[in-house]
Amino acid sequence: MIKKLIFLALIAGVGYMFWTGLAEYKAAESLNRISSYYAQDGLKEVGAANLVTAVVVTYRGLDTLGEVSILFLTASILGFFLVSGKEPKIPLQDSSEILKTASKLLEPIILLFGIYVFINGHLTPGGGFQGGAILASALILAYLANPNEGINKSIFRITESISGVVFVIIGILGIVLAGGFLDNRLIPVGSIGDLISAGIIPIIYIFVGMKVGAELSSIVTNLKHSPKNNVE
Amino acid sequence: METNLNIFLAIVIGVLALVFAIIAIYHKKLSIAIIASGAVSLMASILFLLLAAPDVAMTEAAIGSGLSVIIFFYALSKIRKQHD
């Protein structure tokens, strides 16, 4: 009984904290200094038609590198704990013919759409993370359709490492040749709206997309291949 | 008129998300709870789209309601096989 009362008091306290925050909240009438700078000068400076991408990759590129590193850490911890042992001796039940045929038809389209999303990240909504997740979902469809087949995990490891290294090298080249880490004026900005424009944003997003896709795929592959009695 | 419709849609989707969240917490079958948690993410991604944030909506739809559901199902199948 006392326990319940304490819990209720805790919930009421947290609720009061949120309520005071909410009661004083007023929507900002105008953009603050930094966001108005992004809105006015971002398009000219970065040359990306999708301003979100300009902020994510150029102005806040270091944060993106941190996010990708966190994802890498998660994937490696999962790979560490889910040690892939022997292949299961009893083959899993085959999936239905409908799923197999549909997956053969859909996989190339999903892969192509994922690549489209991260190559066009500087023009349309989307980017490396979204495209990488779509690539990984194509792999999941392949696993669902063919439960007894697997992909060699080293391909994900190699893709992931190469993309990460290239991402950092491009960032360091920005220090040497342009204004700072991950500066996108490394190569000419080009005209706004073209596929090859916005400096190095498309290049970075291609590598981020491959890195995220490889990381998420390796997580799923590790989960699929780990022996059944290995999760404690 | 259009803003009124958007607000109405947002309220409907928010209520639906709450219902799915309650199902995800209280349903006895774990598989249904996982699907409900994916549906919460789907509702959230529609809300992001209504709030003019398509980039966030894409991430939420792909990772929140796609990949994480699959990963939960993998984990669930491992736990079940261990129990048998």
Side-chain angles (χ1 to χ4, degrees):
Chain A
M1 189 63 202
I2 297 169
K3 231 179 184 177
K4 270 188 182 171
L5 274 177
I6 293 172
F7 275 129
L8 273 178
L10 256 175
I11 291 169
V14 172
Y16 178 71
M17 267 164 54
F18 278 121
W19 174 250
T20 49
L22 197 68
E24 288 166 14
Y25 175 75
K26 243 182 276 169
E29 298 274 302
S30 59
L31 296 173
N32 62 17
R33 219 182 56 174
I34 194 155
S35 34
S36 62
Y37 175 79
Y38 289 160
Q40 281 164 12
D41 300 337
L43 190 62
K44 221 186 304 160
E45 212 169 53
V46 181
N50 181 15
L51 257 185
V52 177
T53 308
V55 174
V56 167
V57 179
T58 303
Y59 294 120
R60 292 280 178 269
L62 205 60
D63 294 15
T64 307
L65 188 61
E67 281 165 23
V68 174
S69 317
I70 289 170
L71 202 58
F72 166 68
L73 206 65
T74 313
S76 17
I77 289 171
L78 264 176
F80 180 71
F81 279 110
L82 298 172
V83 190
S84 67
K86 301 159 288 213
E87 293 290 307
K89 276 167 198 151
I90 313 144
L92 294 161
Q93 196 187 356
D94 233 17
S95 55
S96 71
E97 195 63 41
I98 296 170
L99 186 59
K100 273 186 188 168
T101 315
S103 85
K104 267 182 206 153
L105 188 71
L106 283 174
E107 269 163 34
I109 299 172
I110 296 175
L111 282 176
L112 206 63
F113 180 63
I115 293 167
Y116 162 81
V117 164
F118 65 68
I119 285 183
N120 274 287
H122 57 302
L123 303 175
T124 52
F129 282 94
Q130 294 90 329
I134 293 168
L135 289 189
S137 66
L139 188 88
I140 290 173
L141 182 61
Y143 281 157
L144 288 179
N146 312 298
N148 289 315
E149 288 170 32
I151 292 177
N152 194 352
K153 262 183 290 179
S154 54
I155 188 169
F156 299 131
R157 211 163 49 221
I158 293 166
T159 320
E160 206 272 319
S161 319
I162 290 175
S163 330
V165 169
V166 169
F167 189 10
V168 176
I169 285 176
I170 290 173
I172 292 171
L173 274 181
I175 297 180
V176 179
L177 300 173
F181 192 69
L182 285 171
D183 194 331
N184 82 315
R185 284 163 295 184
L186 202 61
I187 55 176
V189 168
S191 61
I192 294 162
D194 283 359
L195 184 60
I196 300 170
S197 68
I200 53 167
I201 288 179
I203 302 170
I204 287 179
Y205 252 177
I206 286 168
F207 285 109
V208 170
M210 284 184 355
K211 193 168 157 65
V212 172
E215 277 157 357
L216 295 174
S217 307
S218 80
I219 289 175
V220 174
T221 312
N222 274 328
L223 276 170
K224 181 177 179 293
H225 282 290
S226 69
K228 301 299 175 216
N229 53 359
N230 209 37
V231 185
E232 286 172 30
Chain B
M1 187 62 209
E2 202 171 284
T3 49
N4 276 341
L5 190 68
N6 270 357
I7 290 169
F8 176 70
L9 252 178
I11 289 170
V12 168
I13 289 164
V15 169
L16 267 178
L18 271 177
V19 169
F20 281 129
I22 290 167
I23 291 172
I25 294 171
Y26 285 108
H27 206 285
K28 284 213 175 77
K29 275 188 102 175
L30 279 176
S31 51
I32 290 174
I34 292 172
I35 292 171
S37 75
V40 174
S41 286
L42 203 65
M43 295 299 133
S45 83
I46 298 170
L47 267 182
F48 289 139
L49 204 63
L50 284 179
L51 292 167
D55 296 75
V56 190
M58 281 177 89
T59 318
E60 183 74 44
I63 294 178
S65 63
L67 277 169
S68 65
V69 169
I70 289 286
I71 288 173
F72 274 136
F73 268 121
Y74 267 121
L76 187 65
S77 79
K78 307 259 154 179
I79 293 167
R80 270 200 189 137
K81 282 194 178 118
Q82 207 179 5
H83 270 293
D84 290 345

